[in-house]
Amino acid sequence: MPIYEYFCQSCENKFEIKISISEKEKGLKVKCPGCSSNKTVQILGNFFTFSKGGGSDISNGCGPNPTPGCCG
Ligand SMILES: [Zn+2]
């Protein structure tokens, strides 16, 4: 089962979670283990450059739905 890295926007916690691919394809909402918030975003590779206050520098195709090959 693959491990995914997630970031919680609520408590700014970074965590890893195991999800089966079928669960992920169903659009599973990942809950933060720290605060149980579901305001979580997946961290793709080394893409961890959230800029506070900006949030709009996701302009290189690595948005919520990256195209294949985009993020390695
Ligand atoms: Zn949290």
Side-chain angles (χ1 to χ4, degrees):
M1 201 178 281
I3 296 176
Y4 297 95
E5 268 194 300
Y6 275 80
F7 174 77
C8 173
Q9 295 177 317
S10 195
C11 68
E12 302 190 343
N13 182 34
K14 193 176 152 191
F15 59 95
E16 292 178 344
I17 195 161
K18 284 184 195 172
I19 319 170
S20 70
I21 290 169
S22 60
E23 274 182 308
K24 196 166 188 304
E25 283 178 346
K26 277 187 252 171
L28 178 82
K29 269 291 180 185
V30 174
K31 268 192 178 183
C32 170
C35 69
S36 297
S37 169
N38 60 3
K39 287 177 67 177
T40 53
V41 290
Q42 189 181 352
I43 300 167
L44 300 166
N46 292 322
F47 183 69
F48 193 63
T49 53
F50 293 99
S51 56
K52 293 198 177 184
S56 61
D57 58 4
I58 308 175
S59 56
N60 53 2
C62 294
N65 299 298
T67 52
C70 167
C71 300

